[in-house]
Amino acid sequence: MAMSCKDGKPGSLDNGKYVRYTPEQVEALERLYHECPKPSSIRRQQLIRECPILSNIEPKQIKVWFQNRRCREKQRKEASRLQAVNRKLTAMNKLLMEENDRLQKQVSQLVYENGCFRQHTQNATLATKDPSCESAVMSGQQRETHQHPPRDASPAGLLSIAEETLAEFLSKATGTAVEWVQMPGMKPGPDSIGIIAISHGCPGVAARACGLVGLEPTRVAELLKDRPSWFHDCRAVDVLNVLPTANGGTIELLYMQLYAPTTLAPARDFWLLRYTSVLEDGSLVVCERSLKNTQNGPSMPPVQHFVRAEMLPSGYLIRPCEGGGSIIHIVDHMDLEPWSVPEVLRPLYESSTMLAQKTTMAALRQLRQIAQEVSQSNVTGWGRRPAALRALSQRLSRGFNDAVNGFTDEGWSMMGNDGMDDVTILVNSSPDKLMGLNLSFANGFPSVSNAVLCAKASMLLQNVPPAILLRFLREHRSEWADSSIDAYSAAVVKVGPCSLRGSRVGGFGSQVILPLAHTVEHEEFLEVIKLEGIAQSPEDALMPRDVFLLQLCSGMDENAVGTCAELIFAPIDASFADDAPLLPSGFRIIPLDSGKEASSPNRTLDLASALEIGPAGNKASNDYSAAGGCMRSVMTIAFEFAFESHLQEHVASMARQYVRSIISSVQRVALALSPSYSGSHAGLRTPLGTPEAQTLARWICQSYRVYMGVELLKSGTEGGESVLKTLWHHSDAIMCCSLKALPVFTFANQAGLDMLETTLVALQDLTLEKIFDEHGRKTLCTEFPQIMQQGFACLQGGICLSSMGRPVSYERAVAWKVLNEEENAHCICFMFVNWSFV
């Protein structure tokens, strides 16, 4: 920072205008800046005393230097951010232009084929036909897998297959070999996960994705090749042979196994060729296809309990992006042999949307997640590295899949049933299954459990969206879970004191959610559930302990099409080590219909009200009740228990009855949440139809007008129901809390529920102080007397927390006292203006 001086001496003052700093002075100031960018006046004076070279500079000038230095730093960061945004937009523009060119080619091809088809139809009676037109007509309809003589699987033959696979993959990724249509519910844009498309009219199921990721191409290829790390349905990928090619690429022969998603279908496996090479333009390509009908080379015979599926040419095209990162094209194309499953399940294996959600988009999400972790802090708020949390999520998912599939090569064997085949019981006493448990009782003595039992079942659900049902199961555990069973499961791990804190949910006030982590698009959450005050044995009845569960939630977005909803949990030690023993149990709900679920994102999940016929009524959303069509889904339930071998029959009977009770509870919940059930009971009412809610809405608006002198809602709103409906859809978050020593929320509009990430039922267990940080709580304590005395208060913008622990910023907030008909204080209402997730 150079400035002119009055007498020519370095560091001297020129009428308070300019100062010229010497390199030594700048070095001293920079050193302090890195230690403390915003020093106090006392610290600046201390600096002058400690550094003689700064003695001829006034404290005011040093203050100005720090102000300018912070400004330059802010400008540098902003310039860097804008450059990154510009690079991303440039790359996205390039990607969109390429996609536009591809679509134009596809349109031209379709127009040509349509013209040829018309000519072919008109000349159908003629003896001769135009061969080119006939070829064009058939090009979009013929199956890719023709009957060929056996292919040569020698090294030279494999190279020929690899080059052919590469050409076919590129024609799908950037050409018109497959007719791609935009996936329902996916809109491309700068903030979207990418451009997602599914196939139309081609054999098998296929999905395609294009996107930008902030990782170098080689790193992207490395991550995508490690399929079990990001594809939860992938059980194993074994590389059986590696052949280098003359062009510097590699050919690999792979055997891959996929878990079955439900107990009603067998698992799939693949015998694959994977070809990795670099194109002339520097792009990196990883392409794969199934090897079938080959000779003179390696082969993979059929494996018991697996159905051999086929992977048609698929893979990844990874191009370096200017300024860093990569542009990636992903194509997944499979024939999953739907003939091998019951007819009711065939939509799972014939849906390109399902393939896109579970595989194609999962790959993009993994890349975006790791790119975000690389660019941000490597340690979460709980001192856990993101890789460790991902490993825990993977262990939960993998353990649940192992329980659902029960492979014999892992030691699972089936027990006989009790005359009914609704619940399947498997037992595993293999050392490998028990090795990772390191079980011990709560008193510290080693456990004598030497086997694991799994009780599993599947059921068909009608007319209830998976996301809504899963959210209910997560937030209302007491409606289906048995605390004594939770205590039994927790007794196999050592439970000690724990200082974790979180937000309480559920109708019985005994469940606390402690958020751990979530993925970039918030489609998956990892959390700890604290079940308070559960007696783990008769001796503990007077001194109940807390039980902790590690829980993985996914598929809670009701607007996503074809999403599988999962709730997987396992009891853990309160110390919560990264290598904590896990015995996962839980639920998986898979939609069978590809139609979009029409429902309100925050539909009330009050089971008691839903089952009650009377004035209180059901609090289901009008929008949800109006949703037409019959939504079908299949739910798979699996629960694991460690036990002593001599108690096998007793534990099996207990587990069988427990799963049956859960099935009964789920059926009752599904019936209560079903719009057809709500519509068949005239006494059931929606939130926008109860007299109490309409009265509260009128009180809120009247009190706001009294204290603020303006209308809360637009003029012209008349009638109680109209006022409530307008308030419900108000763009700002509006919520009410009780006038108690510890205020709890009693009502929130749609925006308020979205902001708090909760439902109307769970809202009532959320206290006001839980959503504010320390600064917000201090401000609230200061302003609360003014609210009660003056009737209102305007709060400055700040940060609050949702029920999931996510920070939410708001521009400003208004609080006012809500008066009833007798002009007595009924509650306090808050309105958060221009809120958004940070």
Side-chain angles (χ1 to χ4, degrees):
M1 182 177 182
M3 299 180 181
S4 61
C5 303
K6 179 180 179 180
D7 54 3
K9 296 181 180 180
S12 62
L13 192 65
D14 180 13
N15 294 330
K17 293 183 178 180
Y18 301 105
V19 170
R20 185 182 300 277
Y21 296 96
T22 65
E24 293 78 9
Q25 290 173 333
V26 173
E27 181 180 356
L29 291 170
E30 286 285 352
R31 188 166 54 249
L32 177 60
Y33 178 82
H34 289 295
E35 295 175 359
C36 179
K38 195 173 182 180
S40 62
S41 58
I42 298 177
R43 184 69 184 93
R44 292 194 298 268
Q45 292 173 0
Q46 181 183 357
L47 175 66
I48 294 176
R49 292 194 300 269
E50 293 175 351
C51 299
I53 59 175
L54 301 177
S55 58
N56 59 344
I57 302 178
E58 293 185 1
K60 181 179 179 181
Q61 290 298 326
I62 292 181
K63 179 180 179 180
V64 171
W65 186 92
F66 274 95
Q67 290 175 342
N68 292 339
R69 181 65 177 82
R70 289 194 299 272
C71 183
R72 291 199 305 274
E73 181 70 15
K74 184 177 180 181
Q75 290 175 342
R76 184 190 65 79
K77 290 182 178 179
E78 181 65 11
S80 177
R81 187 189 69 82
L82 291 176
Q83 289 174 357
V85 171
N86 182 64
R87 289 194 298 268
K88 180 178 179 180
L89 292 176
T90 301
M92 179 64 74
N93 181 62
K94 179 181 178 182
L95 188 61
L96 291 174
M97 291 178 64
E98 293 175 353
E99 182 69 5
N100 184 58
D101 291 340
R102 188 194 65 80
L103 290 173
Q104 288 181 348
K105 292 179 182 177
Q106 183 172 325
V107 169
S108 299
Q109 180 177 340
L110 291 174
V111 170
Y112 175 70
E113 290 179 2
N114 184 55
C116 290
F117 180 75
R118 287 183 177 180
Q119 182 179 353
H120 175 78
T121 303
Q122 293 171 357
N123 301 331
T125 57
L126 299 179
T128 59
K129 302 177 183 178
D130 185 354
S132 63
C133 290
E134 183 177 3
S135 174
V137 170
M138 297 300 294
S139 64
Q141 301 175 2
Q142 57 187 344
R143 187 178 178 88
E144 292 188 31
T145 54
H146 304 283
Q147 292 296 328
H148 291 292
R151 299 290 299 268
D152 181 20
S154 65
L158 291 177
L159 179 59
S160 175
I161 295 174
E163 294 292 347
E164 180 183 305
T165 303
L166 174 62
E168 292 187 36
F169 159 67
L170 291 177
S171 69
K172 297 176 184 179
T174 60
T176 58
V178 173
E179 182 182 348
W180 300 109
V181 296
Q182 181 175 304
M183 181 174 165
M186 298 298 299
K187 295 182 179 180
D191 298 325
S192 68
I193 187 175
I195 303 172
I196 312 297
I198 56 177
S199 62
H200 174 69
C202 77
V205 290
R208 174 180 176 269
C210 311
L212 309 176
V213 293
L215 298 170
E216 296 304 313
T218 53
R219 177 60 173 155
V220 171
E222 176 187 349
L223 292 170
L224 292 176
K225 283 185 175 183
D226 186 15
R227 193 179 261 111
S229 69
W230 55 266
F231 185 25
H232 288 183
D233 284 356
C234 183
R235 185 192 184 204
V237 175
D238 296 327
V239 180
L240 303 183
N241 199 0
V242 180
L243 301 173
T245 63
N247 60 2
T250 58
I251 295 175
E252 300 168 279
L253 301 184
L254 312 177
Y255 175 64
M256 179 173 70
Q257 292 181 343
L258 300 185
Y259 290 107
T262 173
T263 62
L264 303 176
R268 264 57 182 162
D269 66 352
F270 297 82
W271 172 233
L272 301 172
L273 176 146
R274 181 165 69 193
Y275 182 36
T276 304
S277 63
V278 179
L279 302 182
E280 294 181 356
D281 62 357
S283 300
L284 184 59
V285 179
V286 181
C287 55
E288 299 173 325
R289 82 175 307 158
S290 286
L291 283 176
K292 52 187 300 186
N293 195 24
T294 59
Q295 62 183 7
N296 303 326
S299 62
M300 177 60 63
V303 179
Q304 188 179 12
H305 306 304
F306 285 87
V307 172
R308 182 63 50 86
E310 181 182 3
M311 180 179 292
L312 303 168
S314 307
Y316 318 106
L317 171 62
I318 312 163
R319 293 182 293 173
C321 185
E322 183 179 353
S326 304
I327 300 176
I328 181 171
H329 291 70
I330 301 176
V331 172
D332 290 303
H333 194 175
M334 300 181 184
D335 183 351
L336 297 173
E337 305 295 342
W339 58 266
S340 63
V341 301
E343 186 174 356
V344 70
L345 294 181
R346 289 181 186 174
L348 300 182
Y349 298 85
E350 297 173 339
S351 169
S352 294
T353 299
M354 184 71 68
L355 177 69
Q357 285 282 3
K358 296 182 66 175
T359 308
T360 316
M361 294 174 64
L364 266 185
R365 289 191 182 107
Q366 175 79 350
L367 296 174
R368 286 164 57 90
Q369 183 70 29
I370 293 179
Q372 184 189 59
E373 294 169 2
V374 169
S375 63
Q376 295 181 356
S377 172
N378 202 29
V379 179
T380 66
W382 279 22
R384 292 295 201 283
R385 294 185 180 276
L389 295 177
R390 283 202 313 274
L392 285 172
S393 298
Q394 184 70 13
R395 287 177 60 198
L396 280 173
S397 182
R398 185 178 184 83
F400 182 74
N401 277 322
D402 285 336
V404 169
N405 286 262
F407 295 116
T408 55
D409 60 1
E410 292 185 349
W412 290 102
S413 61
M414 186 180 298
M415 287 185 61
N417 58 44
D418 59 351
M420 302 175 62
D421 58 358
D422 57 333
V423 178
T424 302
I425 301 294
L426 301 177
V427 175
N428 193 332
S429 56
S430 66
D432 291 340
K433 181 67 175 177
L434 299 172
M435 188 177 298
L437 292 179
N438 189 26
L439 305 177
S440 61
F441 283 127
N443 58 14
F445 292 101
S447 168
V448 293
S449 298
N450 51 16
V452 174
L453 182 143
C454 174
K456 60 182 182 178
S458 292
M459 57 187 295
L460 184 68
L461 299 174
Q462 296 277 1
N463 217 19
V464 56
I468 286 183
L469 180 56
L470 184 89
R471 188 189 300 146
F472 187 95
L473 296 175
R474 172 179 174 267
E475 297 178 354
H476 298 269
R477 187 181 181 87
S478 59
E479 292 288 349
W480 57 266
D482 188 329
S483 61
S484 62
I485 302 296
D486 287 329
Y488 173 87
S489 300
V492 299
V493 294
K494 185 177 181 180
V495 178
C498 184
S499 59
L500 305 178
R501 298 183 62 188
S503 56
R504 187 185 309 273
V505 301
F508 288 82
S510 60
Q511 177 181 338
V512 178
I513 290 182
L514 309 152
L516 269 180
H518 54 76
T519 51
V520 176
E521 284 79 27
H522 293 86
E523 82 292 335
E524 185 174 283
F525 295 89
L526 184 65
E527 57 197 14
V528 171
I529 303 299
K530 178 182 177 184
L531 306 178
E532 298 178 325
I534 294 180
Q536 297 182 19
S537 66
E539 293 78 11
D540 293 337
L542 298 179
M543 296 183 62
R545 301 172 183 266
D546 295 336
V547 170
F548 295 92
L549 304 174
L550 181 64
Q551 182 164 277
L552 179 67
C553 307
S554 62
M556 295 178 65
D557 182 4
E558 298 171 35
N559 296 317
V561 180
T563 302
C564 170
E566 291 183 331
L567 184 69
I568 305 172
F569 47 85
I572 58 171
D573 191 312
S575 62
F576 186 34
D578 289 341
D579 58 350
L582 298 178
L583 275 181
S585 302
F587 307 88
R588 173 179 290 146
I589 314 172
I590 310 174
L592 295 175
D593 301 309
S594 59
K596 188 174 181 179
E597 300 169 1
S599 60
S600 171
N602 282 286
R603 181 190 173 202
T604 302
L605 303 180
D606 187 347
L607 179 63
S609 298
L611 296 178
E612 178 183 352
I613 301 177
N618 190 346
K619 300 178 182 177
S621 165
N622 269 336
D623 296 336
Y624 180 77
S625 299
C630 178
M631 295 166 287
R632 299 181 306 162
S633 58
V634 58
M635 170 182 273
T636 296
I637 304 171
F639 279 75
E640 291 189 277
F641 306 92
F643 67 97
E644 304 171 38
S645 58
H646 68 279
L647 297 176
Q648 177 171 310
E649 293 297 331
H650 173 74
V651 175
S653 177
M654 176 272 294
R656 187 179 284 113
Q657 294 304 319
Y658 184 46
V659 170
R660 284 173 180 163
S661 71
I662 291 175
I663 291 174
S664 177
S665 298
V666 168
Q667 290 173 335
R668 182 167 59 95
V669 170
L671 178 63
L673 299 180
S674 170
S676 60
Y677 177 86
S678 301
S680 64
H681 293 76
L684 301 183
R685 301 186 180 185
T686 66
L688 304 186
T690 59
E692 296 84 358
Q694 295 173 12
T695 300
L696 177 60
R698 189 175 69 253
W699 290 349
I700 290 173
C701 297
Q702 289 176 351
S703 301
Y704 186 86
R705 181 173 60 250
V706 168
Y707 291 118
M708 308 302 296
V710 294
E711 295 290 345
L712 175 62
L713 306 178
K714 295 180 180 179
S715 59
T717 303
E718 298 178 358
E721 185 173 353
S722 179
V723 170
L724 177 57
K725 186 174 182 179
T726 307
L727 183 71
W728 179 260
H729 294 291
H730 198 284
S731 59
D732 294 326
I734 299 174
M735 53 196 75
C736 297
C737 65
S738 60
L739 293 172
K740 298 180 179 180
L742 188 61
V744 297
F745 288 103
T746 58
F747 171 81
N749 68 347
Q750 182 70 71
L753 295 176
D754 292 341
M755 171 180 158
L756 296 178
E757 293 187 298
T758 187
T759 63
L760 282 175
V761 172
L763 176 76
Q764 298 169 14
D765 295 303
L766 189 62
T767 60
L768 181 62
E769 67 171 10
K770 289 287 187 181
I771 74 166
F772 287 103
D773 57 11
E774 185 177 356
H775 175 72
R777 284 192 290 268
K778 290 181 179 178
T779 302
L780 186 62
C781 291
T782 303
E783 299 292 344
F784 202 81
Q786 178 184 344
I787 299 174
M788 298 306 298
Q789 181 178 2
Q790 181 177 310
F792 73 96
C794 296
L795 309 178
Q796 295 181 350
I799 300 291
C800 63
L801 300 175
S802 74
S803 63
M804 300 297 297
R806 295 174 65 192
V808 182
S809 67
Y810 56 93
E811 183 178 294
R812 58 187 175 87
V814 181
W816 68 96
K817 188 165 52 176
V818 177
L819 304 178
N820 59 19
E821 302 290 356
E822 290 76 26
E823 296 190 355
N824 296 323
H826 176 74
C827 62
I828 299 293
C829 192
F830 291 85
M831 181 169 66
F832 295 88
V833 181
N834 293 337
W835 64 272
S836 62
F837 290 109
V838 178

